Each structure stands twice: as structure tokens, then as C-alpha cells.
């Protein structure tokens, strides 16, 4: 379980996160929904220790990730996988090498075993046979799915998704949403998804947190959001011209 | 008003300069601290050694040959009527080994390696690949900086030895077989004249390893500081080349002054 308590983050005299409180329950998908520039990605990067907050704590299975040493932080990060908005695949490595990197660096697995795991991960995301391609040869949707394959190969407890459907057409967005659900069902992964995509929220969320101007103004079930904050959802859709 | 804003801008530049020095010192210490993890990052270290050698071999060979030819033409033109021929050969040999090859090669490689290192790491920074390394529990300094700095520091002397060999060989051929201004025996005795082992060590190891460190460290440092998109990558790359070229020229003087 991840518990975020009174989290504050400031960039150049501007408070981006203003006292965030949120509990991310194991085995469930929590969606943080809000327009761009409201601190969603900053929150996600705080959870994995890429950004240090000014104040507050983030307890990962009881351990405050904001206060641990760098060495311990690297150990704790092995529980996580992060799917970046643009995929952030290493452009000097092939798809196979991208996915195998974690296993090669952090395990003593033999190459045959690594190869098997890479193939399995690619099969899960529906991209078998792309092992030898470089990221520049992949489409946007394929990059996202390879990034998910890289995420699941380390069998993480938590997967954090930063705008998983942004920039994808409806078919690819649907495939990614279904993939997020499948990973939860198949591996029991705990997911945190930040998005402005209402369809994504509706498809994957067990729990929804609404973020606006650095504050969480609602945390609850998606049915409640659709009931109580329909206007907010409409405005969000309009702001993106959906 | 204009005077005031000029002073403020000057002050900001001064502060930024000292912040940069501090950040470079921090990165230097972090790089040193990653050295004991060389076995963990062995794949990256081997890759960097290999790619640095392979990517620079053609340009190194070309430069070396023409350094030898150029110094021979200049040496004979300037001094052969005034001094004994073996003395001219001695001047060509020593100036090539101690000064010309290390500095010309380093300046060219500052553009080639330093610029591409800064661009490579810079584009990784702006496309969140550095953050991705962190989330995979890999230290960007250990994974990217340490192998590159180590390869630069170790491989530039190797490339310099190779370049010096080619330069002197091309000078020898030019002098004895094409221009015929000196016999092979005289050329070799000129090379032996006043020979000091330290000079060889200085030109082939001390200077290139320091310059190699500067090139790789500067490329990595400015790459990691990249902000913005493609423009930021371009700025990092150019800054890295300029800073390392200036440092190389300045240090070349001080090293000669201090050690010779």
C-alpha cells in the first residue's frame, strides 16, 4: 500500500502540490484525473522518488520513500515500474535490450531465461516479433506497449502510468486500457494512472482522485465521480477538444 | 535603469558560473564514487571503450598522417637551410609528439566525442530516458557518465600513441622517400638526439589522459544539464565543445610550464 500524506511541492515560487493526501490500495487501479499543468505527473514522480517534496511523506509499504538514503531508494524502486508519457525507451537499445535491461543488471538470470521473459512480456502486450526493432522504428502506440512490456518484465508490485493514452488513436488507446486491466487481473498489479482521458478513467479505475490546482478535491469510486462531478468531466473533455 | 539591469545580469551570470562549478564538482565526486561499481556496469564500460575507439579511428588516422606531413613541410621549409638536417628531424619529432598530436587530436575529438556525448545524454534527458534509468534502479552517473569518462581518460592516450606513431611514420616517409632531404639514418639519429623518456610519457600519457577526461566529463556534464527540447540539446552540445576546447588549450600551456 502507498500512503501519501500532506504532500507539498514547490517549483520557482509556485506551489504545484498543496497538501495531497491519498491512499493507494494494493491490487487496485487508482486513477488521478485532472487537466494538464495541475501537478499530476509531479505527484507520480514524487511517488517513485524522482522528485523530492518540500513537505509531507509517501509511505511505500510503511517506509517513507521521501526520507530514505539513495541506496535504499534504489532498492525500493525495484517494487515499481514507471510507464512514461512518451515511453522513454532507450533509443540506443533494441526492443529486446530495452526490456531485458532490468533483468541483465539486477538479476543473475541466464540469457536463455531472459530471452524467454522478454518474449513473454512482448506476447502480453501483443508485440511478438518486434525484438530487433529500435524505438525510432515503432509507432506511438507500439512505444507505449513496449514501455509496458519493460515495466512488467521485472514483476513489479506497483506500476505507475503517466498519461498512458495521450497521443494515441482510439484503437490504440483502447488496447492500452485493456492491457492495464489485464495486468491487474493476471498479475494482481497495483496501478496508479494519471490521465486527463475520461474514457481511460472509466475503463481502468477502481478508485478516482480528482486533482485541480495542486489539490485533491475528491477521492472515491468512479461511479461517484460520474454522479457528482459530471460538469467537471464535461469541462475536462471540452478543454481537450474531445 | 539600463545600468542597473546590466549589473543584475552580470551578478546572475556570476552566480550561475559558481553554481556550475559546484555542480561539476558534485558530478566529479559522484563519478569517482561509481568507480568501485565498475564490474556492475561492465557492459557499459566495454561498450564505451569499443565505440570510442571504433568511431574515432578513421579521423585519428587521417589527422595523424597530415600532422606528420604538415610538420615535415614546415620544419624543412623553416629550418633546413639554417640548422643541421638531423636537428630539423629532432624538432619535427619532438614538436609532433609533445605538442602537435596531443592538442590537435584532442581538439578534434572534443568536437567529435564531446559534442556527441552532450547531444546523446542531453536528448536522453529531455525525453525522460534519464528518469527511466532511475526508475529501473540504475544510477545515471554509473550507467552513463562513469563509463564514458573512464573510456575518454584511458582511450585518448591509446589513440594518441597510435596517432603519434602514424604521424612520425608519415613524416619519416615524406622526408626520406618523397622529399629526399634527409637520409633514414640521419632522421633516426635526429630522433634520438636529446631523447628524454619523460617527454614521451608526457606527450603520450599525461596530456591525452587529462584531455580525454575533460572531453568526456564536459560532454556528460553539459548533457545532464540539458533543459528544453532540441534547442537545449544543441546548446549543451556546443557549450561542451567550446568549454573543453578552451580548457584543453589553457591546460596545455600550464602542463608544459609545470612538468617540462
Amino acid at each position: 500500500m502507498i500512503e501519501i500524506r500532506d504532500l507539498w511541492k514547490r517549483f520557482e515560487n509556485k506551489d504545484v502540490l498543496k497538501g495531497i493526501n491519498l491512499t493507494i490500495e494494493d491490487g487496485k487501479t487508482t486513477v488521478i484525473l485532472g487537466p494538464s499543468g495541475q501537478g499530476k505527473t509531479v505527484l507520480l514522480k514524487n511517488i517513485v522518488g524522482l522528485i523530492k517534496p518540500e513537505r509531507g511523506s509517501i509511505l511505500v509499504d510503511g517506509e517513507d520513500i521521501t526520507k530514505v538514503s539513495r541506496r535504499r531508494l534504489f532498492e525500493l524502486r525495484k517494487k515499481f515500474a514507471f510507464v512514461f508519457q512518451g515511453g522513454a525507451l532507450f533509443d540506443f537499445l533494441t526492443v529486446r535490450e530495452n526490456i531485458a535491461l532490468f533483468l541483465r543488471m539486477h538479476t543473475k538470470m541466464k540469457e536463455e531465461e531472459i530471452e524467454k521473459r522478454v518474449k513473454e512480456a512482448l506476447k502480453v502486450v501483443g508485440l511478438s516479433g518486434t525484438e530487433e526493432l529500435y524505438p525510432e522504428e515503432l509507432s506511438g502506440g507500439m512505444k507505449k506497449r513496449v514501455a509496458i512490456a519493460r515495466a512488467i518484465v521485472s514483476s513489479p508490485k506497483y506500476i505507475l502510468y503517466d498519461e498512458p493514452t495521450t497521443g494515441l488513436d482510439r484503437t490504440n488507446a483502447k488496447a492500452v486500457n485493456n492491457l492495464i486491466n489485464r495486468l491487474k487481473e493476471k498479475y494482481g498489479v497495483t496501478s496508479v494512472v494519471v490521465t486527463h482521458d475520461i474514457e481511460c478513467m472509466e475503463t481502468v479505475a477502481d478508485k478516482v482522485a480528482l486533482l485541480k490546482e495542486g489539490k485533491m478535491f475528491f477521492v472515491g469510486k468512479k461511479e461517484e465521480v460520474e454522479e457528482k462531478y459530471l460538469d467537471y468531466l464535461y469541462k475536462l473533455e471540452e478543454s481537450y477538444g474531445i | 535603469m539600463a545600468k542597473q539591469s546590466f549589473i543584475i545580469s552580470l551578478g546572475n551570470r556570476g552566480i550561475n558560473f559558481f553554481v556550475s562549478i559546484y555542480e561539476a564538482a558534485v558530478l566529479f565526486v559522484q563519478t569517482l564514487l561509481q568507480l568501485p561499481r565498475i564490474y556492475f556496469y561492465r557492459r557499459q564500460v566495454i561498450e564505451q571503450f569499443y565505440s570510442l575507439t571504433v568511431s574515432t579511428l578513421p579521423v585519428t588516422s587521417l589527422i595523424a598522417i597530415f600532422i606528420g606531413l604538415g610538420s615535415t613541410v614546415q620544419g624543412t621549409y623553416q629550418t633546413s637551410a639554417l640548422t643541421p638536417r638531423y636537428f630539423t628531424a629532432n624538432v619535427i619529432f619532438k614538436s609532433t609528439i609533445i605538442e602537435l598530436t596531443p592538442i590537435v587530436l584532442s581538439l578534434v575529438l572534443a568536437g567529435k566525442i564531446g559534442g556527441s556525448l552532450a547531444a546523446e545524454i542531453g536528448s536522453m534527458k529531455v525525453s525522460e530516458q534519464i528518469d527511466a534509468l532511475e526508475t529501473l534502479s540504475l544510477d545515471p552517473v554509473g550507467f552513463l557518465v562513469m563509463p564514458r569518462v573512464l573510456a575518454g581518460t584511458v582511450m585518448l592516450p591509446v589513440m594518441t600513441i597510435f596517432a603519434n606513431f602514424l604521424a612520425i611514420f608519415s613524416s619519416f616517409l615524406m622526408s626520406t622517400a618523397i622529399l629526399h632531404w634527409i637520409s633514414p639514418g640521419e632522421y633516426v639519429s635526429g630522433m634520438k638526439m636529446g631523447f628524454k623518456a619523460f617527454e614521451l610519457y608526457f606527450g603520450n600519457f599525461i596530456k591525452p589522459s587529462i584531455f580525454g577526461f575533460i572531453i568526456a566529463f564536459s560532454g556528460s556534464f553539459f548533457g545532464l544539464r540539458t533543459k528544453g527540447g532540441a534547442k537545449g540539446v544543441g546548446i549543451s552540445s556546443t557549450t561542451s565543445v567550446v568549454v573543453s576546447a578552451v580548457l584543453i588549450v589553457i591546460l596545455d600551456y600550464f602542463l608544459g610550464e609545470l612538468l617540462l
Side-chain angles (χ1 to χ4, degrees):
Chain A
M1 189 162 71
I2 302 170
E3 291 171 271
I4 303 166
R5 290 179 188 162
D6 192 29
L7 196 76
W8 288 76
K9 180 64 197 171
R10 166 176 281 246
F11 288 116
E12 291 172 4
N13 300 329
K14 193 193 170 207
D15 285 322
V16 178
L17 299 179
K18 300 169 188 171
I20 299 286
N21 288 292
L22 180 67
T23 302
I24 291 152
E25 290 155 49
D26 284 352
K28 293 192 173 165
T29 300
T30 303
V31 172
I32 301 164
L33 189 75
S36 290
Q38 306 295 309
K40 300 192 299 292
T41 301
V42 173
L43 175 58
L44 210 59
K45 287 189 172 179
N46 267 284
I47 293 174
V48 77
L50 286 173
I51 296 176
K52 289 262 175 205
E54 257 69 51
R55 217 163 76 210
S57 59
I58 300 168
L59 302 174
V60 177
D61 299 330
E63 201 168 349
D64 189 352
I65 201 164
T66 66
K67 294 188 176 63
V68 294
S69 68
R70 192 155 164 81
R71 181 172 288 195
R72 182 67 194 141
L73 177 64
F74 274 57
E75 281 307 309
L76 277 177
R77 278 184 184 152
K78 289 179 185 167
K79 291 183 178 187
F80 288 92
F82 199 116
V83 180
F84 289 85
Q85 190 172 343
L89 299 174
F90 304 115
D91 46 22
F92 51 93
L93 300 178
T94 61
V95 166
R96 170 190 281 116
E97 290 164 340
N98 260 287
I99 299 170
L101 186 63
F102 182 92
L103 301 177
R104 281 191 179 140
M105 298 301 288
H106 294 299
T107 68
K108 288 180 178 163
M109 271 184 200
K110 288 183 177 167
E111 276 304 311
E112 300 85 66
E113 177 66 14
I114 291 174
E115 183 64 27
K116 202 175 137 196
R117 295 278 290 266
V118 169
K119 279 194 157 62
E120 271 173 21
L122 279 172
K123 197 176 166 193
V124 170
V125 299
L127 285 175
S128 297
T130 58
E131 288 91 333
E132 298 308 321
L133 297 179
Y134 278 90
E136 62 183 21
E137 299 172 273
L138 304 173
S139 69
M142 287 165 91
K143 276 183 191 164
K144 286 253 166 85
R145 285 190 282 160
V146 172
I148 294 173
R150 184 173 71 181
I152 58 174
V153 82
S154 58
S155 311
K157 184 174 178 189
Y158 304 103
I159 302 185
L160 313 182
Y161 298 88
D162 186 8
E163 301 278 5
T165 55
T166 300
L168 302 183
D169 55 49
R170 281 185 83 88
T171 317
N172 269 315
K174 207 173 166 185
V176 169
N177 288 336
N178 290 338
L179 194 54
I180 295 172
N181 280 338
R182 225 169 344 125
L183 294 178
K184 183 181 72 178
E185 285 152 20
K186 193 172 175 186
Y187 302 107
V189 176
T190 306
S191 299
V192 183
V193 180
V194 305
T195 186
H196 63 261
D197 180 358
I198 292 154
E199 200 172 315
C200 172
M201 181 271 286
E202 283 170 341
T203 316
V204 304
D206 293 311
K207 181 177 178 179
V208 181
L210 299 181
L211 189 70
K212 195 178 177 187
E213 290 169 2
K215 286 181 184 168
M216 221 53 115
F217 67 93
F218 170 84
V219 179
K221 288 184 176 174
K222 66 179 165 192
E223 293 80 13
E224 285 179 74
V225 181
E226 284 159 354
E227 223 173 80
K228 293 178 185 168
Y229 294 96
L230 204 60
D231 281 354
Y232 176 82
L233 297 182
Y234 280 140
K235 276 182 190 166
L236 192 62
E237 276 189 339
E238 276 171 20
S239 68
Y240 285 92
I242 301 165
Chain B
M1 195 70 184
K3 196 177 172 185
Q4 206 176 6
S5 67
F6 174 74
I7 292 168
I8 290 169
S9 140
L10 208 66
N12 283 340
R13 277 170 181 258
I15 291 167
N16 285 342
F17 175 75
F18 286 108
V19 169
S20 302
I21 299 282
Y22 169 76
E23 286 175 355
V26 169
L27 181 64
F28 176 68
V29 173
Q30 287 175 336
T31 309
L32 286 183
L33 290 175
Q34 288 297 326
L35 278 175
R37 304 204 74 203
I38 192 165
Y39 182 74
F40 182 73
Y41 292 112
R42 62 192 179 281
R43 276 172 188 270
Q44 287 68 40
V45 172
I46 293 165
E47 263 172 33
Q48 286 309 312
F49 272 65
Y50 176 77
S51 77
L52 198 145
T53 318
V54 170
S55 69
T56 58
L57 202 60
V59 74
T60 301
S61 310
L62 195 71
I63 288 169
I65 290 168
F66 282 90
I67 285 175
L69 299 179
S71 61
T72 305
V73 170
Q74 279 297 322
T76 52
Y77 175 71
Q78 300 290 346
T79 63
S80 61
L82 308 167
T83 59
R85 288 175 178 180
Y86 64 87
F87 185 77
T88 304
N90 177 267
V91 170
I92 292 169
F93 175 68
K94 287 200 170 183
S95 62
T96 301
I97 284 195
I98 298 170
E99 192 62 32
L100 273 174
T101 306
I103 197 159
V104 174
L105 186 66
S106 300
L107 288 175
V108 172
L109 295 189
K112 182 163 172 57
I113 306 169
S116 72
L117 270 186
E120 186 188 346
I121 296 178
S123 64
M124 286 182 75
K125 179 86 188 293
V126 299
S127 59
E128 293 186 305
Q129 290 176 54
I130 304 276
D131 280 349
L133 276 177
E134 289 257 1
T135 61
L136 291 172
S137 296
L138 295 168
D139 193 318
V141 178
F143 191 86
L144 297 170
V145 181
M146 184 271 284
R148 283 160 174 78
V149 171
L150 197 64
T153 312
V154 174
M155 290 315 286
L156 207 71
V158 174
M159 301 309 285
T160 307
I161 292 168
F162 171 71
N164 266 330
F165 175 79
L166 267 185
I168 295 302
F169 185 67
S170 64
S171 165
F172 178 81
L173 279 183
M174 179 79 169
S175 305
T176 57
I178 299 169
L179 295 176
H180 297 291
W181 66 274
I182 192 169
S183 69
E186 265 185 303
Y187 193 99
V188 172
S189 64
M191 283 167 62
K192 286 178 183 168
M193 194 178 76
F195 176 82
K196 288 179 193 161
F198 180 73
E199 288 174 352
L200 269 186
Y201 182 66
F202 181 71
N204 284 303
F205 289 99
I206 298 177
K207 278 213 290 198
S209 58
I210 292 172
F211 295 164
F213 168 81
I214 288 171
I215 292 167
F217 186 79
S218 164
S220 307
F221 176 67
F222 287 105
L224 284 176
R225 277 166 59 106
T226 304
K227 282 178 185 161
K231 193 180 173 189
V233 175
I235 291 170
S236 295
S237 180
T238 315
T239 313
S240 157
V241 174
V242 173
V243 168
S244 44
V246 170
L247 282 176
I248 284 167
V249 174
I250 293 173
L251 274 173
D252 184 64
Y253 161 73
F254 282 108
L255 286 170
E257 187 73 20
L258 283 171
L259 298 174
L260 289 179

